[in-house]
Amino acid sequence: MHKPVAIIAAMPVELAPLLGSVQPQTVNGVDLFELTQTVVAVGGIGEKFARRAAEVAIDYAQPRVLVSAGIVGALSPKLKVGDVARIREVVDVATGQRYATTGGEWVLATSQDVSDAAEKHALLTKFGADVVDMEAAAVAQAAQDHGLAFAAVKAISDDAEFVMPPLNRFIDANGKFATRKFLVYVALHPRWWTTLGKIKANSELASRNLCDAVEQLLNSGQWLVASG
């Protein structure tokens, strides 16, 4: 199955409006959603699982362009929830390696964990990044290794000062988020009740705006033009 663009995401909820009722097929632990112009590979949270998803998508679709798409945290205090933009450069926090894209506005830092407010400030200061995620650098490295064009588009679900619950402890060994365990934890800790509602609303807004942007980019052929 040849698709010119392969999109890599961590969780299906990030691209739910785009995926709609499409049912995936699972290949080597990666869920593949076939759309008209693209295949979306959902592989899990973190660089290890993003790399696996990228490799599966490349083998399956033989794309010209590999795209990292998802929701992110803001590092810049100028950015707000729901903002969406293409990424112009990705920096891997663990190695300092930087990856150029086909073009965009923001610099994205890929970290190993969900970043709290203090960590966000440190990433902003050290790397000059606008937003942070946990996957894009791995997708960029896969694109580089296979000689493919690389692009990224991200939407903000939490601003620079947003105080997050301890989400890292609920990411399991397969890169999945243990939603049920997290909800039990929140139920037992009233201080997070209001925060949970904000996370849900913010994530839904970010997902809608992200999917609108992805559809526009696919329909315009901008990624393919930029890739030559």
Side-chain angles (χ1 to χ4, degrees):
M1 178 61 65
H2 294 271
K3 298 285 185 181
V5 177
I7 297 174
I8 313 303
M11 300 180 292
V13 67
E14 295 177 290
L15 294 175
L18 180 70
L19 300 177
S21 60
V22 175
Q23 295 299 306
Q25 61 174 303
T26 301
V27 179
N28 295 333
V30 176
D31 288 337
L32 296 173
F33 297 80
E34 273 193 46
L35 305 181
T36 302
Q37 302 179 71
T38 185
V39 61
V40 176
V42 178
I45 301 167
E47 290 190 84
K48 172 184 175 182
F49 300 103
R51 180 63 192 242
R52 181 180 67 178
E55 294 293 342
V56 168
I58 291 168
D59 287 344
Y60 181 83
Q62 300 176 31
R64 289 166 49 192
V65 184
L66 207 57
V67 177
S68 176
I71 58 178
V72 295
L75 302 180
S76 169
K78 297 178 182 179
L79 301 178
K80 64 183 184 299
V81 172
D83 285 350
V84 59
R86 295 181 302 148
I87 304 301
R88 64 178 172 86
E89 185 180 56
V90 173
V91 56
D92 189 331
V93 170
T95 65
Q97 178 75 31
R98 291 179 179 265
Y99 302 91
T101 74
T102 58
E105 298 80 48
W106 293 343
V107 174
L108 180 150
T110 293
S111 180
Q112 306 300 307
D113 301 297
V114 178
S115 301
D116 61 24
E119 291 167 333
K120 286 181 175 181
H121 180 72
L123 292 172
L124 172 66
T125 302
K126 183 173 182 179
F127 297 104
D130 301 290
V131 293
V132 60
D133 83 342
M134 296 174 63
E135 294 85 25
V139 181
Q141 183 64 60
Q144 180 174 288
D145 291 347
H146 287 272
L148 303 176
F150 170 68
V153 58
K154 303 287 180 173
I156 293 173
S157 63
D158 51 285
D159 61 34
E161 300 301 325
F162 190 80
V163 178
M164 282 284 195
L167 298 180
N168 289 307
R169 69 176 69 173
F170 299 101
I171 300 173
D172 67 23
N174 296 312
K176 309 295 184 184
F177 188 75
T179 302
R180 185 171 299 178
K181 290 182 179 179
F182 174 64
L183 293 177
V184 170
Y185 170 84
V186 171
L188 297 174
H189 295 79
R191 62 169 295 200
W192 297 119
W193 290 356
T194 300
T195 301
L196 179 62
K198 290 180 179 178
I199 290 174
K200 183 176 185 296
N202 292 352
S203 297
E204 289 175 350
L205 173 61
S207 177
R208 289 196 302 271
N209 291 353
L210 174 65
C211 289
D212 286 345
V214 169
E215 284 191 303
Q216 290 175 15
L217 287 162
L218 287 170
N219 291 335
S220 70
Q222 190 169 340
W223 281 326
L224 294 176
V225 171
S227 73

